[in-house]
Amino acid sequence: MRENPEKLKIIRKPVSLQKFSKKILSSGKSIGLVPTMGALHRGHASLIEMSAKNNDITIVSIFVNPTQFGANEDFAKYPRRLRADLKLCREAGATIVFAPQPKDMYPLPLSTFVHNPKLETLYCGAYRPIHFAGVLSVVAKLFNIALPTKAYFGEKDFQQLHLIRRMAVDLNFPVNVVGAKTIREKSGLAMSSRNEYMSAEERAAASSIYVGMCEAKRLLRRGETSVVKLKEAVRGIVEWAGGKIQYVEIVNKGDLTPMTGKISKKAVILLACFFGKTRLIDHLEL
């Protein structure tokens, strides 16, 4: 269904992309959107390929969004390499790359944000207070600019995906939000643009995140249903490898509420930890 990827086009102005998307939709074609912050890897490529397979046009946005970074976070050093990203987009089947500048996305300082008061302060939100308001607001802008039929997000950012899905329902965005399985390195470490911050030793040690979560899943299969003991299993393995746990929680898959006592419904492990100065997040369905 996709267009010839050799015709990859770069659009930088929101109004130009919106005009393009309106024309595509009026012709009866579908649009897939893959929102990214660049520094693309194989996980992003899998999202682009999925979109290209299922839509006539695939738009990849590459924008390091300033409104989702706190004062002491890594906005300035976040990797930016548009040339390499364009190559990956072309090879994966993208049609359009939307690569705006901050002044184009925010001609005025943003004063209207999208919030989810119940969930944006939990888990990652407890440590990154403005993060999810910035994410939801920029994704809402991208939905309005690109006018996608479907939008593709990785499940690695499990809390983020849940919030975006809920926003799309609550605000009646005419878009199907599609989640895709986490792509992992051979060690089990979830692929992330931030992995390149780590040394080789830290990166090897960070594979303990997946090992720890898998151990909790193994214990559950053997009959251990205590939330505390399963969380302790994860924490013990990650900390033994040198990681510093920020949080590890077991939550209800349906609404992300934290579980206590014993597991009785579909559950997901959510965690964030540091290896060196690099903050990593991951999840595993139980």
Side-chain angles (χ1 to χ4, degrees):
M1 296 176 68
R2 62 183 171 87
E3 301 285 340
N4 184 349
E6 295 301 319
K7 297 181 179 180
L8 182 70
K9 181 179 180 181
I10 303 172
I11 296 178
R12 294 190 177 274
K13 300 296 183 181
V15 66
S16 298
L17 180 60
Q18 192 175 62
K19 183 178 179 181
F20 170 85
S21 293
K22 285 181 178 179
K23 184 177 179 181
I24 293 298
L25 293 175
S26 68
S27 69
K29 294 182 177 180
S30 60
I31 298 174
L33 173 67
V34 182
T36 83
M37 293 205 300
L40 305 183
H41 49 68
R42 189 158 56 86
H44 295 110
S46 70
L47 296 176
I48 299 169
E49 290 164 357
M50 185 183 298
S51 175
K53 181 179 179 181
N54 292 287
N55 299 279
D56 298 298
I57 298 292
T58 290
I59 299 170
V60 180
S61 65
I62 297 177
F63 179 61
V64 184
N65 176 41
T67 66
Q68 68 189 67
F69 288 81
N72 299 312
E73 295 184 340
D74 59 343
F75 175 72
K77 70 174 185 177
Y78 195 88
R80 295 162 170 85
R81 44 173 184 263
L82 184 60
R83 185 185 297 271
D85 290 346
L86 291 176
K87 182 176 184 293
L88 183 146
C89 288
R90 181 177 292 107
E91 292 174 350
T95 320
I96 300 291
V97 168
F98 177 51
Q101 295 296 316
K103 63 182 176 61
D104 298 319
M105 290 294 282
Y106 303 110
L108 297 173
L110 192 64
S111 60
T112 304
F113 286 85
V114 179
H115 288 280
N116 183 318
K118 181 179 179 181
L119 290 178
E120 71 178 27
T121 59
L122 298 177
Y123 318 127
C124 282
Y127 301 92
R128 306 184 69 190
I130 70 167
H131 177 67
F132 286 121
V135 169
L136 293 178
S137 299
V138 77
V139 171
K141 287 172 73 70
L142 289 169
F143 284 176
N144 283 326
I145 293 166
L147 306 175
T149 312
K150 295 180 180 179
Y152 298 81
F153 299 86
E155 290 184 350
K156 180 180 76 70
D157 301 292
F158 199 82
Q159 184 179 7
Q160 171 182 286
L161 175 59
H162 183 91
L163 285 164
I164 290 169
R165 279 178 165 153
R166 184 59 189 263
M167 177 188 73
V169 172
D170 287 347
L171 300 186
N172 297 101
F173 280 108
V175 57
N176 179 14
V177 176
V178 181
K181 295 294 184 183
T182 301
I183 303 297
R184 299 185 179 275
E185 299 179 3
K186 289 183 179 180
S187 67
L189 178 64
M191 287 193 173
S192 169
S193 301
R194 289 185 168 94
N195 288 354
E196 63 188 63
Y197 294 165
M198 293 185 285
S199 67
E201 292 77 13
E202 289 168 344
R203 199 160 177 159
S207 64
S208 63
I209 298 170
Y210 188 59
V211 173
M213 295 190 300
C214 286
E215 173 62 12
K217 190 169 186 174
R218 186 186 71 83
L219 291 173
L220 179 62
R221 285 174 172 170
R222 293 182 60 183
E224 179 58 75
T225 59
S226 166
V227 169
V228 170
K229 289 183 179 179
L230 295 177
K231 288 163 58 175
E232 286 177 348
V234 179
R235 180 181 293 273
I237 289 174
V238 173
E239 291 181 342
W240 180 86
K244 182 180 179 183
I245 292 284
Q246 190 173 69
Y247 71 82
V248 55
E249 296 290 347
I250 295 178
V251 307
N252 186 312
K253 181 182 177 181
D255 60 12
L256 296 196
T257 54
M259 288 190 173
T260 58
K262 295 188 179 296
I263 291 178
S264 59
K265 299 179 181 179
K266 288 186 178 180
V268 179
I269 300 172
L270 302 180
L271 69 77
C273 64
F274 286 86
F275 279 87
K277 295 182 179 180
T278 304
R279 183 178 185 272
L280 303 172
I281 63 172
D282 208 340
H283 83 285
L284 188 69
E285 294 187 31
L286 297 178

